[in-house]
Amino acid sequence: MAKGKIRAKIKRSQLYTFACGRKSTQEAVPFVEGAGCSRTVHCNQPHMHRKRPLKYRSNYISTTKYNFLSFLPKSLYEQFHRVANLYFLAAAVLSLTPLSPFSAVSMIAPLAFVVGLSMAKEGLEDWRRFMQDMNVNSRKVKFHKEGGVFEFKQWQQIEVGDVVRVEKDEFFPADLLLLSSSYEDGICYVETMNLDGETNLKVKRAMDVTLSLEEDEDFKNFTGLIKCEDPNPSLYTFVGNLDYDRQTYSLEPAQVLLRDSKLRNTGFVYGVVIFTGFDTKVMQNSTKSPSKRSRIEKKMDYIIYVLFSLLLVISLISSLGFALKTKFHMPNWWYMRPDDTEQFYNPKEPFISGLSHLVTALILYGYLIPISLYVSIEVVKVLQATFINQDLQMYDDDTGIPAQARTSNLNEELGQVDTILSDKTGTLTCNQMDFLKCSIAGTAYGVRASEVERAAAQQMANDLEQDGRQSSVSSKRSKQDIELETVVTSKDGKDNKPPIKFFSFEDDRMTEGNWRKEPNVDMIILFCRILAVCHTAIPELNEETGTYAYEAESPDEGAFLVAAREFGFEFFKRTQTSVFVRERYIGSGQTTEREYKILNLLEFTSKRKRMTVIVRDEEGQIILMCKGADSIIFDRLAKKGKTYLEDTTKHLNIYGEAGLRTLALAYRKLEESEYSAWNNEFQKAKTSIGADRDTNLEKVAEMMEKELTLVGATAVEDKLQKGVPQCIDKLAQAGLKLWVLTGDKMETAINIGFACSLLREGMKQICITTLDSESKEAIKENILTQVNNGSQMIKLEKDPYAAFALIIDGKTLAYALEEDMKFLFLGLAVDCASVICCRVSPKQKALVTRLVKEGTGKVTLGIGDGANDVGMIQEADIGVGISGVEGMQAVMASDFSVSQFRFLERLLVVHGHWCYKRIAQMVCYFFYKNIAFGLTLFYFEAFTGFSGQSVYDDWYMILFNVVLTSLPVISLGVFEQDVSSDVCLEFPTLYQQGPRNLFFDWYRILGWMGNGLYSSLVIFFLNIVIFYDQAYRAEGQTTDMSILGTIMFTCIICALNFQVSLIMTHYTWMQHVLIWFSIVAWFIFLFIYGMLPPKISHSAYQILTEALASAPVYWITTLLVTIACTLPYLAHMSLQRCFNPMDHHVIQEIKYLKKDVSDQVMWRREKTKAREKTKIGFTARVDALIRSLRGKLNKKTHSIESNKSYPPS
Amino acid sequence: MDTDRERHRARETAFYLFTQQSLPACKPVLTPGWVIAIFLFMGVIFIPVGLVTLRASHCVVEIVDRYDIDCVPEPSRMDKVSYIQDDSIPKNCSRFMKVHKYMKAPIYIYYQLDNYYQNHRRYVKSRSDKQLLDGQKYHDTSYCQPVESNNNRPIVPCGLIAWSLFNDTFEFIREGAELKVNRKNIAWKSDRGHKFGKNVYPFNFQNGTLIGGGKLNPEIPLSDQEDLIVWMRTSALPSFRKLYGRIEEDLDVDDVVVVNLMNNYNTYSFGGKKKLVLSTSSWLGGKNDFLGHACVFVGCSSLTLAIIFVLLHVKYRRPYGDMSYLPWNRKSFSG
């Protein structure tokens, strides 16, 4: 409130010429009641809306999938949507019939467990969403209770018709009709980042009739009737009428404040609730994010189909066998009473018995399909996600936000990314401008280097040292490498906290008032005044420090004002008509306050690319001050005003090269008469009503903005986020391609491209642009030639190190993305090392993403921070949101969120790599395991006359997937590391194992299946031959079915768990516990099961203690089978490692032999080698600068050397 | 400072290391040394084990006599089924078994059946464990289909397995004197003690129109009917041996044992063989050469692999941890 009062009551409407200063015109299109426009809102009478038909939806929002009632049916439906689960459900139902080979409980229990676990996970996730909703729903806002008293109430209780008071920096709880604001003329500023991703503030303006409602008490007797459109998703339209004071006024979108946008720069506003909850525009706009599945999971489906076919084949074989046995042999088996059978075994009807046996067999061999696969994977992924969330190296200390895996089903996809599509603003850059340099009257000020320059210098120093020390010990050089890295990173750390925000300028000639000693003081004063006066910002006093902060529409302006303040021109007050500046160094050294009366303000639009104010200073002199894009300003210079043009242009070029954003400043002194003549015309244009008002205004403005005198230019640095160049460098070294899709203009995008090392001097830039004027066909023709030329150029290029960059703007992209051209375009883009698309709309971002995803068939990752990136994030295979900025839209739509771009490196190169290998190996092993187990059932069945008898106890089968083999699999999927995280980062090329899919190709999958087949054969036949008829104990007992089954099962458990331990390469105590526990658990189970009374344990009663433990054959066989099962795998692995090792094998060996410690030179050399593959990146960017400087240096050293080499003899 | 130290300490806790996935780990690598050592080790383990097993197996003396055909009188051999089903014909039969090697007591007597699907699902399921333990007190015998009741009275023990009880009997005579056959303790102790009721007596057994296999003495409780208990342990495969009894006298070389047997059991309808087996046992159990052979085979394979690896390693020596195998280095070789 206090702040609001300080700067409230400024009439702003006069300042604005184009956007909102228009008087709300009562002559606007009259609002017609009718279809789609039936909503009636009784203002300040919410009780009217508690009864039908005016009862509207409440302001309670819910994004949950389920509610308490629908959870069970809905989530069950979801679960049984999966083919495998449906199959198991059918099997469970059939297990209640006599057809089942197992007891019903052994089919139902695992299914219930698996489905229950998945449902619990769903429920938990939904609960989290619910809590999030509750959080939003229980936010508080002030509403008009009665009699002019405002009280707090929760958002969810807000009703249509309520009058609410929203304070500064609060979100609007619903769609509101703006009644009045803390500004006298009812203006307020709104940030709509959550709606459309635009960071600049938008102006909303109340109707004149409601302006008088400016205090709480005024609402005591306020009533009104709004008739308006029905809820709809269009953000930019609104039609309606307000009946107030016996008059009808029409309403416009400019008077509607939308839910989820934020009040900025305005003390408070009053508004009437029009739409609540799901009726609000933002909720109407919300789209369900598509559910994404990883490639491995999709491929897994195919494997499951393969297994289903295998299942079907052996079931058919089995039922055919059964039918034949029943028909031809059964009549002879008197001991089975063939004379007295049910249909199932009736030898006279082999067809029916065969058919019914098919059902039995399908259930019996269900073990081929791993029922627990999905649930194991889900558990593993949740745990992996927890590790991602827990990683402190992806935790941002400044904001306290960790990385977050918002969905866990894409973890392994992180390890297969091929192309990253990145937003620029807020993702690569901070959206914070730092005033870095300026050029005044042809003199360049500002000695601090930009990041690009610094990087160049760093690299160059390094290169020179390398050159100089080629003969010296190479270990020294590698030490230098490290130092370089630390220097660069530490510098980054320092840069992040400059002493003054937005101001990184360093030059003794300018600061501390020293500019008074400069030759052209007048121009410097003028320059600073333009900075301090020509803007639309509002100062805000920080009462603690006594300094002013500025609320500007664009970050550049803020930087300018801070710069002006530091130079001694402190803008501190804005009134309706004037700007007040405190000038410190002018005159006698006292600070003087000067007032500049603002006569006109011609604001900045992207079309005009300039902003102008016309002010009258205290001497009465009228001055036009203008700042804008250099090209625009240069066109409007007076002949006399070009004194500094040449020097300034030179400086501007240097700034551009250094990756800075530049603006040119100019002024013009006006005569009174000249001004008033123009002003008349301007006012006329301003008050005119009609479609061509804006063009008229522009024309008139144009008349004044000419004959300018150039003062100088500014250069601000669009600060890159911390660590972005390094991260891009590493990602490039990992073989990832980075496309930048930005809404910014081409020059800025190119600058940033340079700053991020996506572009460098040596790169051949292929710019594809079009002219507006041409017809569509001509444009397309033109683009086609450009694309073809580009492709041709790349094809003809012989230099293997040559790199190309493709730069395309949004308008051109619109044509390039059309059906007939898009693949040509894509072909060109894929060949280029980096691609930058500028001026692209959110929709185009999504389209480009889809093109890359579908065109190349490779995994794409979209990363962005704003609502404008939502389309891209949802379209990409993986969407990553930058959290920590205020708008949460991107994060909400994303699959992963990180707080800074640089964490992407660790997310992909470490976690992605791990997760990919973990899941791939785990799934392979899973299929191996189930084939090895499932096939033994088949073999045995063949020995029982295909009758569907299983050799194992039902309980063994239940525990097989759920307990006895699941924990090692999970430990493989959660804890396995082929190499440590440091090595992942040091050898980024290791990442390529993922995109090349080396661990989940069909070769590998089939290999594992073959291994499973081998294991099943070994397990079954070794056991059968050893135990079928001979006594296996000294006491002469022979085996029976339950004993043989138990022995075989022991072999299976040991062999499978031993196999998984061979796959692992990383054993912490966790792995040891989980693997060996699983084996021990089997014996413990067997022991306990045997102790249970025989009514429960049946034939397994005391089986371990009495029949097995004391038989040496049992143990020998277990050992033999275990080793025999794993022997081929072991041999294969050893052979592969010996003669065809993969990257990580060699690195593991180095680490194992501690060669990295003993031979650091080699280790470091290899680390640098693993990087050399890429054409873009941190190091590459600065080559050009180095080259030119090195040339100079070479000349120098040559001359020195030549001096040296001819010593006076 | 305190927080710094605390943070430092926190970093060392196991939990911290766990969440950061940097727990101390053992990372074994299959270096040639390890590979050769492992294969050698496995060879060294399995070959002796196999040899010991083989030796144990060779110590076992086993005499097998197939009698199902020879015990059918010559004229009936054309139609063995009607012979065996004809109750009026006495089924006595005498066999001579010559001991070719000294057999130390106890000598286990087995009968062996072939092509007999005791593991068929219909057969396996047809029993009631609860009835075996509780007798007629337990009424639900639906599992015992189709041999569930007779004349509306339950059968104890019910089910196909009991109904088809093996009923050939054997008597052994050496040099005119009967060899004592101990038929006690041939079943698992737990079966006798806990699965077959001590107070459950056979009831209404083999009283139906179709008589399956052997009959049971209704005076003896099920827990003492060890033939039945052994028979009820269904075999895993269609070819199986079951323990019949023990001869607790040594047999010398060239002793001739005369076996007087009653050839009652019908295996002729399905062409199953019947054999009588006399076997001693070792710590290994019966004669089981396969296990020894398998062990030796696996051991030899391991040894062979070890040798192959040694040779390969000598011939194509790859210094371990050699960077030239890293892809970027290999590429530079080819390029």
PDB file of all heavy atoms in Angstrom, chain A residues 334-335 918 977 1030 1034 1036 1040 1067 1106 1137 1150, chain B residues 21 26 62 110 117 190 233 266 281 318 323:
ATOM      1  N   TRP A 334      -4.944 -96.854 -18.504  1.00  0.00           N
ATOM      2  CA  TRP A 334      -6.070 -97.272 -17.661  1.00  0.00           C
ATOM      3  C   TRP A 334      -6.025 -96.573 -16.299  1.00  0.00           C
ATOM      4  O   TRP A 334      -7.050 -96.314 -15.690  1.00  0.00           O
ATOM      5  CB  TRP A 334      -6.046 -98.791 -17.459  1.00  0.00           C
ATOM      6  CG  TRP A 334      -4.765 -99.278 -16.798  1.00  0.00           C
ATOM      7  CD1 TRP A 334      -3.668 -99.723 -17.443  1.00  0.00           C
ATOM      8  CD2 TRP A 334      -4.493 -99.341 -15.415  1.00  0.00           C
ATOM      9  NE1 TRP A 334      -2.699-100.074 -16.555  1.00  0.00           N
ATOM     10  CE2 TRP A 334      -3.175 -99.836 -15.290  1.00  0.00           C
ATOM     11  CE3 TRP A 334      -5.217 -99.037 -14.246  1.00  0.00           C
ATOM     12  CZ2 TRP A 334      -2.575-100.024 -14.047  1.00  0.00           C
ATOM     13  CZ3 TRP A 334      -4.615 -99.246 -13.018  1.00  0.00           C
ATOM     14  CH2 TRP A 334      -3.285 -99.724 -12.925  1.00  0.00           C
ATOM     15  N   TYR A 335      -4.796 -96.249 -15.864  1.00  0.00           N
ATOM     16  CA  TYR A 335      -4.688 -95.665 -14.523  1.00  0.00           C
ATOM     17  C   TYR A 335      -5.238 -94.245 -14.478  1.00  0.00           C
ATOM     18  O   TYR A 335      -5.304 -93.646 -13.423  1.00  0.00           O
ATOM     19  CB  TYR A 335      -3.231 -95.686 -14.038  1.00  0.00           C
ATOM     20  CG  TYR A 335      -2.231 -95.105 -15.035  1.00  0.00           C
ATOM     21  CD1 TYR A 335      -1.936 -93.752 -15.014  1.00  0.00           C
ATOM     22  CD2 TYR A 335      -1.598 -95.918 -15.978  1.00  0.00           C
ATOM     23  CE1 TYR A 335      -1.036 -93.219 -15.925  1.00  0.00           C
ATOM     24  CE2 TYR A 335      -0.710 -95.389 -16.894  1.00  0.00           C
ATOM     25  CZ  TYR A 335      -0.420 -94.037 -16.872  1.00  0.00           C
ATOM     26  OH  TYR A 335       0.449 -93.492 -17.772  1.00  0.00           O
ATOM     27  N   ARG A 918      21.166 -48.513 -17.874  1.00  0.00           N
ATOM     28  CA  ARG A 918      20.518 -49.299 -16.828  1.00  0.00           C
ATOM     29  C   ARG A 918      19.252 -49.953 -17.342  1.00  0.00           C
ATOM     30  O   ARG A 918      19.049 -51.155 -17.221  1.00  0.00           O
ATOM     31  CB  ARG A 918      20.165 -48.393 -15.650  1.00  0.00           C
ATOM     32  CG  ARG A 918      21.364 -47.963 -14.854  1.00  0.00           C
ATOM     33  CD  ARG A 918      20.990 -46.848 -13.913  1.00  0.00           C
ATOM     34  NE  ARG A 918      22.126 -46.477 -13.085  1.00  0.00           N
ATOM     35  CZ  ARG A 918      22.137 -45.437 -12.275  1.00  0.00           C
ATOM     36  NH1 ARG A 918      21.068 -44.651 -12.190  1.00  0.00           N
ATOM     37  NH2 ARG A 918      23.194 -45.163 -11.554  1.00  0.00           N
ATOM     38  N   GLN A 977      26.480 -48.436 -12.601  1.00  0.00           N
ATOM     39  CA  GLN A 977      27.201 -47.340 -13.261  1.00  0.00           C
ATOM     40  C   GLN A 977      28.307 -47.972 -14.078  1.00  0.00           C
ATOM     41  O   GLN A 977      29.153 -48.655 -13.520  1.00  0.00           O
ATOM     42  CB  GLN A 977      27.847 -46.413 -12.229  1.00  0.00           C
ATOM     43  CG  GLN A 977      26.871 -45.720 -11.317  1.00  0.00           C
ATOM     44  CD  GLN A 977      27.572 -44.896 -10.267  1.00  0.00           C
ATOM     45  OE1 GLN A 977      28.767 -44.700 -10.311  1.00  0.00           O
ATOM     46  NE2 GLN A 977      26.804 -44.406  -9.314  1.00  0.00           N
ATOM     47  N   GLN A1030      17.630 -92.292 -10.770  1.00  0.00           N
ATOM     48  CA  GLN A1030      18.551 -92.800  -9.766  1.00  0.00           C
ATOM     49  C   GLN A1030      18.282 -92.224  -8.379  1.00  0.00           C
ATOM     50  O   GLN A1030      17.767 -91.131  -8.255  1.00  0.00           O
ATOM     51  CB  GLN A1030      19.981 -92.452 -10.180  1.00  0.00           C
ATOM     52  CG  GLN A1030      20.545 -93.373 -11.230  1.00  0.00           C
ATOM     53  CD  GLN A1030      20.749 -94.788 -10.717  1.00  0.00           C
ATOM     54  OE1 GLN A1030      20.676 -95.048  -9.525  1.00  0.00           O
ATOM     55  NE2 GLN A1030      20.991 -95.714 -11.633  1.00  0.00           N
ATOM     56  N   ALA A1034      22.231 -91.083  -0.132  1.00  0.00           N
ATOM     57  CA  ALA A1034      22.840 -92.323   0.349  1.00  0.00           C
ATOM     58  C   ALA A1034      21.784 -93.266   0.906  1.00  0.00           C
ATOM     59  O   ALA A1034      21.971 -94.475   0.943  1.00  0.00           O
ATOM     60  CB  ALA A1034      23.877 -92.011   1.417  1.00  0.00           C
ATOM     61  N   GLY A1036      19.068 -93.995  -0.405  1.00  0.00           N
ATOM     62  CA  GLY A1036      18.409 -94.728  -1.464  1.00  0.00           C
ATOM     63  C   GLY A1036      17.140 -94.109  -2.008  1.00  0.00           C
ATOM     64  O   GLY A1036      16.514 -94.673  -2.900  1.00  0.00           O
ATOM     65  N   ASP A1040      11.028 -87.257  -6.532  1.00  0.00           N
ATOM     66  CA  ASP A1040       9.690 -87.181  -7.115  1.00  0.00           C
ATOM     67  C   ASP A1040       9.531 -85.803  -7.723  1.00  0.00           C
ATOM     68  O   ASP A1040      10.493 -85.035  -7.795  1.00  0.00           O
ATOM     69  CB  ASP A1040       8.626 -87.467  -6.062  1.00  0.00           C
ATOM     70  CG  ASP A1040       8.664 -86.471  -4.934  1.00  0.00           C
ATOM     71  OD1 ASP A1040       8.990 -85.299  -5.211  1.00  0.00           O
ATOM     72  OD2 ASP A1040       8.365 -86.836  -3.785  1.00  0.00           O
ATOM     73  N   TYR A1067      29.768 -52.572  -7.873  1.00  0.00           N
ATOM     74  CA  TYR A1067      29.178 -53.182  -6.683  1.00  0.00           C
ATOM     75  C   TYR A1067      29.377 -52.311  -5.470  1.00  0.00           C
ATOM     76  O   TYR A1067      30.496 -52.122  -5.012  1.00  0.00           O
ATOM     77  CB  TYR A1067      29.853 -54.513  -6.375  1.00  0.00           C
ATOM     78  CG  TYR A1067      29.537 -55.596  -7.346  1.00  0.00           C
ATOM     79  CD1 TYR A1067      30.355 -55.821  -8.428  1.00  0.00           C
ATOM     80  CD2 TYR A1067      28.421 -56.395  -7.169  1.00  0.00           C
ATOM     81  CE1 TYR A1067      30.072 -56.815  -9.332  1.00  0.00           C
ATOM     82  CE2 TYR A1067      28.127 -57.392  -8.061  1.00  0.00           C
ATOM     83  CZ  TYR A1067      28.959 -57.602  -9.132  1.00  0.00           C
ATOM     84  OH  TYR A1067      28.669 -58.579 -10.012  1.00  0.00           O
ATOM     85  N   GLU A1106      14.697 -82.201   5.238  1.00  0.00           N
ATOM     86  CA  GLU A1106      14.719 -83.652   5.226  1.00  0.00           C
ATOM     87  C   GLU A1106      15.325 -84.216   3.953  1.00  0.00           C
ATOM     88  O   GLU A1106      16.146 -85.122   3.988  1.00  0.00           O
ATOM     89  CB  GLU A1106      13.296 -84.182   5.385  1.00  0.00           C
ATOM     90  CG  GLU A1106      13.248 -85.684   5.552  1.00  0.00           C
ATOM     91  CD  GLU A1106      11.831 -86.201   5.643  1.00  0.00           C
ATOM     92  OE1 GLU A1106      10.919 -85.518   5.131  1.00  0.00           O
ATOM     93  OE2 GLU A1106      11.627 -87.268   6.221  1.00  0.00           O
ATOM     94  N   ARG A1137      35.743 -58.128 -24.534  1.00  0.00           N
ATOM     95  CA  ARG A1137      36.593 -57.187 -23.838  1.00  0.00           C
ATOM     96  C   ARG A1137      38.025 -57.267 -24.335  1.00  0.00           C
ATOM     97  O   ARG A1137      38.705 -56.261 -24.452  1.00  0.00           O
ATOM     98  CB  ARG A1137      36.579 -57.510 -22.345  1.00  0.00           C
ATOM     99  CG  ARG A1137      35.699 -56.602 -21.567  1.00  0.00           C
ATOM    100  CD  ARG A1137      35.747 -56.996 -20.125  1.00  0.00           C
ATOM    101  NE  ARG A1137      34.841 -56.181 -19.362  1.00  0.00           N
ATOM    102  CZ  ARG A1137      35.113 -54.949 -18.962  1.00  0.00           C
ATOM    103  NH1 ARG A1137      36.269 -54.403 -19.236  1.00  0.00           N
ATOM    104  NH2 ARG A1137      34.228 -54.260 -18.288  1.00  0.00           N
ATOM    105  N   ILE A1150      41.285 -48.597 -17.408  1.00  0.00           N
ATOM    106  CA  ILE A1150      42.234 -47.578 -16.967  1.00  0.00           C
ATOM    107  C   ILE A1150      42.006 -47.239 -15.507  1.00  0.00           C
ATOM    108  O   ILE A1150      42.924 -47.162 -14.706  1.00  0.00           O
ATOM    109  CB  ILE A1150      42.085 -46.315 -17.843  1.00  0.00           C
ATOM    110  CG1 ILE A1150      42.488 -46.645 -19.270  1.00  0.00           C
ATOM    111  CG2 ILE A1150      42.919 -45.183 -17.289  1.00  0.00           C
ATOM    112  CD1 ILE A1150      42.188 -45.554 -20.240  1.00  0.00           C
TER     113      ILE A1150
ATOM    114  N   GLN B  21      24.845 -41.079  -5.436  1.00  0.00           N
ATOM    115  CA  GLN B  21      25.270 -42.245  -6.197  1.00  0.00           C
ATOM    116  C   GLN B  21      26.778 -42.381  -6.210  1.00  0.00           C
ATOM    117  O   GLN B  21      27.370 -42.730  -7.228  1.00  0.00           O
ATOM    118  CB  GLN B  21      24.756 -42.190  -7.631  1.00  0.00           C
ATOM    119  CG  GLN B  21      23.263 -41.948  -7.695  1.00  0.00           C
ATOM    120  CD  GLN B  21      22.720 -42.187  -9.070  1.00  0.00           C
ATOM    121  OE1 GLN B  21      22.925 -43.239  -9.638  1.00  0.00           O
ATOM    122  NE2 GLN B  21      22.023 -41.217  -9.628  1.00  0.00           N
ATOM    123  N   CYS B  26      33.028 -51.478  -5.429  1.00  0.00           N
ATOM    124  CA  CYS B  26      34.050 -52.348  -5.985  1.00  0.00           C
ATOM    125  C   CYS B  26      33.725 -52.492  -7.460  1.00  0.00           C
ATOM    126  O   CYS B  26      32.597 -52.755  -7.835  1.00  0.00           O
ATOM    127  CB  CYS B  26      33.968 -53.663  -5.225  1.00  0.00           C
ATOM    128  SG  CYS B  26      34.363 -55.098  -6.140  1.00  0.00           S
ATOM    129  N   GLU B  62      24.923-102.165  -9.438  1.00  0.00           N
ATOM    130  CA  GLU B  62      23.498-102.088  -9.769  1.00  0.00           C
ATOM    131  C   GLU B  62      23.145-103.284 -10.658  1.00  0.00           C
ATOM    132  O   GLU B  62      23.865-103.595 -11.604  1.00  0.00           O
ATOM    133  CB  GLU B  62      23.255-100.772 -10.513  1.00  0.00           C
ATOM    134  CG  GLU B  62      21.803-100.463 -10.756  1.00  0.00           C
ATOM    135  CD  GLU B  62      21.632 -99.175 -11.578  1.00  0.00           C
ATOM    136  OE1 GLU B  62      21.864 -99.234 -12.800  1.00  0.00           O
ATOM    137  OE2 GLU B  62      21.304 -98.138 -10.995  1.00  0.00           O
ATOM    138  N   TYR B 110      14.488-101.535  -6.013  1.00  0.00           N
ATOM    139  CA  TYR B 110      13.584-100.582  -6.669  1.00  0.00           C
ATOM    140  C   TYR B 110      12.763-101.315  -7.700  1.00  0.00           C
ATOM    141  O   TYR B 110      13.205-102.304  -8.275  1.00  0.00           O
ATOM    142  CB  TYR B 110      14.361 -99.490  -7.404  1.00  0.00           C
ATOM    143  CG  TYR B 110      15.306 -98.705  -6.534  1.00  0.00           C
ATOM    144  CD1 TYR B 110      16.644 -99.055  -6.429  1.00  0.00           C
ATOM    145  CD2 TYR B 110      14.849 -97.577  -5.867  1.00  0.00           C
ATOM    146  CE1 TYR B 110      17.514 -98.328  -5.655  1.00  0.00           C
ATOM    147  CE2 TYR B 110      15.721 -96.837  -5.085  1.00  0.00           C
ATOM    148  CZ  TYR B 110      17.051 -97.210  -4.978  1.00  0.00           C
ATOM    149  OH  TYR B 110      17.905 -96.483  -4.211  1.00  0.00           O
ATOM    150  N   TYR B 117       2.764 -92.324 -17.069  1.00  0.00           N
ATOM    151  CA  TYR B 117       2.656 -90.882 -16.845  1.00  0.00           C
ATOM    152  C   TYR B 117       2.101 -90.581 -15.468  1.00  0.00           C
ATOM    153  O   TYR B 117       0.975 -90.155 -15.314  1.00  0.00           O
ATOM    154  CB  TYR B 117       1.816 -90.234 -17.943  1.00  0.00           C
ATOM    155  CG  TYR B 117       2.601 -90.088 -19.230  1.00  0.00           C
ATOM    156  CD1 TYR B 117       2.622 -91.105 -20.177  1.00  0.00           C
ATOM    157  CD2 TYR B 117       3.352 -88.936 -19.465  1.00  0.00           C
ATOM    158  CE1 TYR B 117       3.374 -90.976 -21.340  1.00  0.00           C
ATOM    159  CE2 TYR B 117       4.100 -88.817 -20.619  1.00  0.00           C
ATOM    160  CZ  TYR B 117       4.111 -89.828 -21.551  1.00  0.00           C
ATOM    161  OH  TYR B 117       4.855 -89.700 -22.680  1.00  0.00           O
ATOM    162  N   SER B 190       8.821 -87.624   7.166  1.00  0.00           N
ATOM    163  CA  SER B 190       7.823 -86.565   7.319  1.00  0.00           C
ATOM    164  C   SER B 190       6.485 -86.999   6.736  1.00  0.00           C
ATOM    165  O   SER B 190       5.434 -86.633   7.244  1.00  0.00           O
ATOM    166  CB  SER B 190       8.307 -85.290   6.631  1.00  0.00           C
ATOM    167  OG  SER B 190       8.463 -85.520   5.249  1.00  0.00           O
ATOM    168  N   ARG B 233       3.981 -90.381  -3.850  1.00  0.00           N
ATOM    169  CA  ARG B 233       4.937 -89.334  -4.270  1.00  0.00           C
ATOM    170  C   ARG B 233       5.094 -89.460  -5.773  1.00  0.00           C
ATOM    171  O   ARG B 233       5.912 -90.237  -6.262  1.00  0.00           O
ATOM    172  CB  ARG B 233       6.287 -89.575  -3.594  1.00  0.00           C
ATOM    173  CG  ARG B 233       6.323 -89.123  -2.175  1.00  0.00           C
ATOM    174  CD  ARG B 233       7.133 -87.859  -2.100  1.00  0.00           C
ATOM    175  NE  ARG B 233       7.094 -87.281  -0.766  1.00  0.00           N
ATOM    176  CZ  ARG B 233       7.578 -86.062  -0.534  1.00  0.00           C
ATOM    177  NH1 ARG B 233       8.126 -85.361  -1.493  1.00  0.00           N
ATOM    178  NH2 ARG B 233       7.503 -85.557   0.674  1.00  0.00           N
ATOM    179  N   ASN B 266      -0.575-104.034 -14.316  1.00  0.00           N
ATOM    180  CA  ASN B 266      -0.803-103.986 -15.759  1.00  0.00           C
ATOM    181  C   ASN B 266      -0.057-102.802 -16.370  1.00  0.00           C
ATOM    182  O   ASN B 266      -0.484-101.669 -16.271  1.00  0.00           O
ATOM    183  CB  ASN B 266      -2.298-103.848 -16.021  1.00  0.00           C
ATOM    184  CG  ASN B 266      -2.582-103.668 -17.500  1.00  0.00           C
ATOM    185  OD1 ASN B 266      -1.687-103.868 -18.333  1.00  0.00           O
ATOM    186  ND2 ASN B 266      -3.804-103.307 -17.819  1.00  0.00           N
ATOM    187  N   SER B 281      24.379 -98.187  -2.545  1.00  0.00           N
ATOM    188  CA  SER B 281      24.416 -96.724  -2.697  1.00  0.00           C
ATOM    189  C   SER B 281      25.723 -96.194  -2.127  1.00  0.00           C
ATOM    190  O   SER B 281      26.382 -96.838  -1.330  1.00  0.00           O
ATOM    191  CB  SER B 281      23.242 -96.073  -1.978  1.00  0.00           C
ATOM    192  OG  SER B 281      23.548 -95.870  -0.625  1.00  0.00           O
ATOM    193  N   ARG B 318      46.845 -57.347 -25.950  1.00  0.00           N
ATOM    194  CA  ARG B 318      46.326 -55.983 -25.864  1.00  0.00           C
ATOM    195  C   ARG B 318      46.663 -55.452 -24.497  1.00  0.00           C
ATOM    196  O   ARG B 318      46.185 -55.982 -23.504  1.00  0.00           O
ATOM    197  CB  ARG B 318      44.811 -55.966 -26.043  1.00  0.00           C
ATOM    198  CG  ARG B 318      44.217 -54.590 -25.805  1.00  0.00           C
ATOM    199  CD  ARG B 318      42.784 -54.535 -26.236  1.00  0.00           C
ATOM    200  NE  ARG B 318      41.861 -54.961 -25.200  1.00  0.00           N
ATOM    201  CZ  ARG B 318      41.380 -54.157 -24.268  1.00  0.00           C
ATOM    202  NH1 ARG B 318      41.729 -52.902 -24.226  1.00  0.00           N
ATOM    203  NH2 ARG B 318      40.528 -54.606 -23.379  1.00  0.00           N
ATOM    204  N   MET B 323      44.838 -46.940 -24.573  1.00  0.00           N
ATOM    205  CA  MET B 323      43.999 -45.921 -25.155  1.00  0.00           C
ATOM    206  C   MET B 323      43.812 -46.094 -26.641  1.00  0.00           C
ATOM    207  O   MET B 323      42.908 -45.523 -27.216  1.00  0.00           O
ATOM    208  CB  MET B 323      44.638 -44.557 -24.894  1.00  0.00           C
ATOM    209  CG  MET B 323      44.341 -44.082 -23.524  1.00  0.00           C
ATOM    210  SD  MET B 323      42.578 -44.039 -23.325  1.00  0.00           S
ATOM    211  CE  MET B 323      42.428 -43.397 -21.708  1.00  0.00           C
TER     212      MET B 323
END
